Amino acid sequence: MKSNLDNIDFKMAAEEEKQLRHDVMAHVHTFGHCCPKAAAIIHLGATSCYVGDNTDLIILRNAFDLLLPKLARVISRLADFAKERASLPTLGFTHFQAFIITGQTYTRKVDIEVLSVLASLGASVHKICTDIRLLANLKEMEEPFEKQQIGSSAMPYKRNPMRSERCCSLARHLMTLIVDPLQTASVQWFERTLDDSANRRICLAEAFLTADTILNTLQNISEGLVVYPKVIERRIRQELPFMATENIIMAMVKAGGNRQDCHEKIRVLSQQAAAVVKQEGGDNDLIERIQADAYFSPIHSQLDRLLDPSSFTGRASQQVQRFLEEEVYPLLKPYESVMKVKAELCL
């Protein structure tokens, strides 16, 4: 595999992608053709995003490696220019800027940085509350719902996640406010123009007021989230056979099978099982199909273990604990004195 890293048959990969309609698997098959002895284990335990996302991160890093030297040269040239002419008398400006030499007026780039943080908060909150809304639709989780609360005027059974809906709505508004300071900073004449003040009075205040409302609402949601383990368990049972396919493939490879051959076998059986679920309204019978297929006989005795839900969580619980201890709790420490304040909403 190492000796063939740069031996890429792009023509074959293109033909494979036409047939498979999957870019990563097209290259997996092409790489296997170049490395027949390794074909059975290529992509073992991996996913397309494992390949694609890591590649994207490498490309992004390399792209910054290209941009940063150019930015450094621009800054260097301007620094040389400033040093050369530092003693040249010019007409002065009462609102002169730069961070460490600010006079009367701070640079409007500060507003961009402030609203960038708040806009980023809006994006995070929108993502969190969208996930809560989706999980509520699946009945796995719900936001707080008052005893007399009405979810819908037309449909009495509904329990609309209106707090999360409100957070998403306001978060979209918060995200759009970053455009104002970007435009304001870009059109300042020398030090500033006086057309910035009316805009800033609106967008800065609105951003903080909107963020305040969003955080109050999200705190209220997070203090009363309800989880339904039985619903989660039922949905896991329905999807577990499909989820287990990668573990089954890895077990087959350990038993001497070929990863790509096993992937194809599982793909065919999975499509058949999916047809039963989608077209006939039946139960997922993928495991029964695997048990009936002699090809998988080497791992038939392992199926119960491979289908244990706890075997899919890996280090998740330890990762949560480590993240809390190393990232979250240290950030919360300066705010210990206000942690007990409850969020009261007037909805």
Side-chain angles (χ1 to χ4, degrees):
M1 290 172 70
K2 288 182 179 178
S3 64
N4 280 279
L5 276 178
D6 298 316
N7 181 19
I8 305 173
D9 189 337
F10 287 103
K11 184 176 180 180
M12 176 182 286
E15 291 299 321
E16 289 282 352
E17 187 169 352
K18 282 184 180 179
Q19 179 180 344
L20 302 175
R21 301 293 180 185
H22 196 291
D23 54 350
V24 173
M25 285 303 291
H27 279 277
V28 167
H29 283 236
T30 303
F31 197 26
H33 179 78
C34 297
C35 315
K37 292 182 180 179
I41 61 166
I42 293 174
H43 206 58
L44 179 64
T47 68
S48 296
C49 278
Y50 175 85
V51 176
D53 281 22
N54 281 287
T55 301
D56 288 343
L57 288 172
I58 292 171
I59 292 172
L60 292 173
R61 180 194 64 193
N62 292 348
F64 271 114
D65 287 341
L66 294 174
L67 288 179
L68 289 174
K70 296 184 178 183
L71 175 60
R73 287 195 292 271
V74 171
I75 294 173
S76 175
R77 304 304 188 265
L78 291 173
D80 292 341
F81 179 87
K83 183 177 181 180
E84 180 183 349
R85 293 165 177 81
S87 300
L88 178 65
T90 65
L91 289 176
F93 301 99
T94 59
H95 300 112
F96 184 75
Q97 308 165 25
F99 280 110
I100 61 172
I101 53 173
T102 295
Q104 178 180 334
T105 307
Y106 70 76
T107 168
R108 297 308 180 224
K109 291 276 283 188
V110 172
D111 295 345
I112 295 176
E113 295 178 1
V114 170
L115 262 70
S116 291
V117 172
L118 296 179
S120 179
L121 169 67
S124 296
V125 172
H126 199 294
K127 172 68 170 64
I128 291 169
C129 291
T130 297
D131 287 348
I132 292 174
R133 293 165 66 191
L134 292 172
L135 289 170
N137 182 61
L138 296 172
K139 298 180 175 60
E140 291 191 5
M141 176 188 284
E142 284 184 341
E143 65 176 33
F145 198 87
E146 309 299 335
K147 187 175 181 180
Q148 302 297 323
Q149 183 174 331
I150 295 175
S152 167
S153 62
M155 293 165 277
Y157 68 90
K158 292 189 73 174
R159 295 166 67 95
N160 290 355
M162 60 92 168
R163 292 171 173 84
S164 297
E165 292 166 350
R166 181 168 299 184
C167 281
C168 287
S169 182
L170 292 173
R172 288 200 299 275
H173 175 62
L174 179 57
M175 288 186 281
T176 65
L177 292 175
I178 184 58
V179 176
D180 277 345
L182 282 171
Q183 294 192 16
T184 296
S186 70
V187 299
Q188 297 305 289
W189 302 350
F190 294 120
E191 72 292 335
R192 71 175 272 226
T193 61
L194 297 179
D195 67 355
D196 68 336
S197 56
N199 183 293
R200 293 177 64 250
R201 289 190 190 106
I202 296 172
C203 71
L204 294 177
E206 275 199 17
F208 278 93
L209 289 171
T210 304
D212 184 75
T213 300
I214 288 173
L215 289 175
N216 277 340
T217 309
L218 185 57
Q219 180 185 338
N220 178 265
I221 293 171
S222 63
E223 288 172 349
L225 284 173
V226 180
V227 177
Y228 298 107
K230 291 298 183 182
V231 177
I232 296 173
E233 181 183 345
R234 185 179 72 235
R235 295 195 66 246
I236 287 178
R237 286 199 305 268
Q238 292 171 345
E239 300 297 328
L240 192 60
F242 292 143
M243 293 165 53
T245 54
E246 183 62 24
N247 285 2
I248 292 172
I249 290 174
M250 289 193 289
M252 280 294 296
V253 173
K254 289 179 182 177
N258 180 296
R259 194 267 179 194
Q260 314 316 333
D261 291 343
C262 185
H263 183 280
E264 178 60 17
K265 286 274 190 181
I266 289 284
R267 186 189 71 82
V268 172
L269 294 180
S270 296
Q271 298 297 328
Q272 293 172 353
V276 171
V277 174
K278 296 175 182 177
Q279 299 174 15
E280 302 175 17
D283 293 329
N284 188 335
D285 64 355
L286 176 58
I287 300 304
E288 287 79 0
R289 292 175 185 274
I290 291 174
Q291 289 172 329
D293 193 321
Y295 174 83
F296 295 98
S297 58
I299 55 106
H300 279 167
S301 62
Q302 303 178 42
L303 286 176
D304 286 342
R305 177 177 59 81
L306 295 173
L307 289 165
D308 180 3
S310 63
S311 68
F312 292 85
T313 61
R315 295 183 56 251
S317 60
Q318 296 102 309
Q319 287 173 318
V320 169
Q321 191 60 35
R322 180 182 176 187
F323 180 70
L324 292 174
E325 292 175 355
E326 296 183 12
E327 300 284 346
V328 178
Y329 294 150
L331 292 174
L332 294 180
K333 195 164 184 62
Y335 305 96
E336 285 178 338
S337 62
V338 297
M339 283 295 101
K340 294 183 179 180
V341 176
K342 294 289 185 180
E344 299 293 335
L345 302 183
C346 298
L347 298 176

